[in-house]
Amino acid sequence: DVSQYWTRGTSDDNDEYEIPTRLIPSIIMVSFTGRASQMVKKYFPRDWHPNIMTIHRALGFYPEFYEDLDPESGNVVNKRRFVPAYTAENRMPWDIVVIDEAGMLGLDLWHQLYAACKPGCRIIMIGDINQLPPTHGKSILGFALANWPTWELTHIHRQQGANNSIVDNAHR
């Protein structure tokens, strides 16, 4: 029921994300950054855009407010943390999760994403082991490459021509 999606979250007037009116059945494409998500959207029809988002958006992260003891003052203070709406107890609806820039996916976020996937969900990782590492912790991509079936693209599609400095530097 798409109308119930992200019901715990709050609306932000500066948020350019479109709340889905309908979902492309069973497939979601996620990435670690919003910029990467926007790049993926360029290559898909507009009808697919609601199914292309950040991992945090897919997990439905929302602010949770709580009280805690301040160790410095000893007073009870109000605090905020962000928690996922989708968890092992409340699974995401998709059958296929495609993760772009998987090399940036840290283990903590991977465990949250994996736990929120419903049984039988297929996970496809797209990434480059030589690109940027996660901002927190180690990447799941190395484990995936060592333990799961992999395919390697060997033909360069973006930069054409002999003696291309981008291609030469990438190989170095």
Side-chain angles (χ1 to χ4, degrees), residues 14-80:
N14 295 327
D15 190 355
E16 295 179 9
Y17 185 77
E18 304 167 20
I19 299 297
T21 54
R22 67 181 185 89
L23 296 174
I24 301 299
S26 296
I27 299 172
I28 186 170
M29 292 176 227
V30 298
S31 59
F32 184 73
T33 65
R35 174 120 173 101
S37 294
Q38 294 305 316
M39 293 299 290
V40 171
K41 286 181 181 182
K42 287 182 177 183
Y43 300 100
F44 285 88
R46 187 134 178 89
D47 287 348
W48 280 71
H49 289 196
N51 288 59
I52 302 170
M53 63 190 75
T54 64
I55 296 168
H56 292 86
R57 173 79 65 178
L59 288 171
F61 271 80
Y62 67 96
E64 177 181 80
F65 299 93
Y66 65 101
E67 293 181 345
D68 196 14
L69 192 63
D70 183 7
E72 293 179 14
S73 68
N75 296 329
V76 174
V77 295
N78 292 324
K79 291 188 175 182
R80 176 181 67 181

Side-chain angles (χ1 to χ4, degrees), residues 8-167:
R8 294 187 200 172
T10 58
S11 172
D12 181 357
D13 293 337
N14 295 327
D15 190 355
E16 295 179 9
Y17 185 77
E18 304 167 20
I19 299 297
T21 54
R22 67 181 185 89
L23 296 174
I24 301 299
S26 296
I27 299 172
I28 186 170
M29 292 176 227
V30 298
S31 59
F32 184 73
T33 65
R35 174 120 173 101
S37 294
Q38 294 305 316
M39 293 299 290
V40 171
K41 286 181 181 182
K42 287 182 177 183
Y43 300 100
F44 285 88
R46 187 134 178 89
D47 287 348
W48 280 71
H49 289 196
N51 288 59
I52 302 170
M53 63 190 75
T54 64
I55 296 168
H56 292 86
R57 173 79 65 178
L59 288 171
F61 271 80
Y62 67 96
E64 177 181 80
F65 299 93
Y66 65 101
E67 293 181 345
D68 196 14
L69 192 63
D70 183 7
E72 293 179 14
S73 68
N75 296 329
V76 174
V77 295
N78 292 324
K79 291 188 175 182
R80 176 181 67 181
R81 63 182 163 222
F82 289 88
V83 295
Y86 286 109
T87 62
E89 291 78 36
N90 181 31
R91 304 289 178 106
M92 297 186 302
W94 298 285
D95 294 321
I96 300 171
V97 176
V98 179
I99 305 169
D100 187 37
E101 302 284 349
M104 293 183 72
L105 178 57
L107 292 176
D108 290 344
L109 189 56
W110 161 253
H111 289 299
Q112 289 177 320
L113 179 66
Y114 186 73
C117 289
K118 64 184 182 179
C121 177
R122 289 183 173 191
I123 299 171
I124 300 167
M125 293 183 175
I126 301 169
D128 182 346
I129 198 72
N130 296 313
Q131 284 190 328
L132 292 173
T135 55
H136 294 72
K138 294 185 178 193
S139 172
I140 186 64
L141 187 59
F143 171 84
L145 290 171
N147 293 287
W148 298 338
T150 60
W151 291 266
E152 181 180 1
L153 299 179
T154 56
H155 179 78
I156 299 169
H157 294 273
R158 287 189 187 173
Q159 290 80 22
Q160 300 296 324
N163 299 323
N164 185 304
S165 61
I166 295 173
V167 174

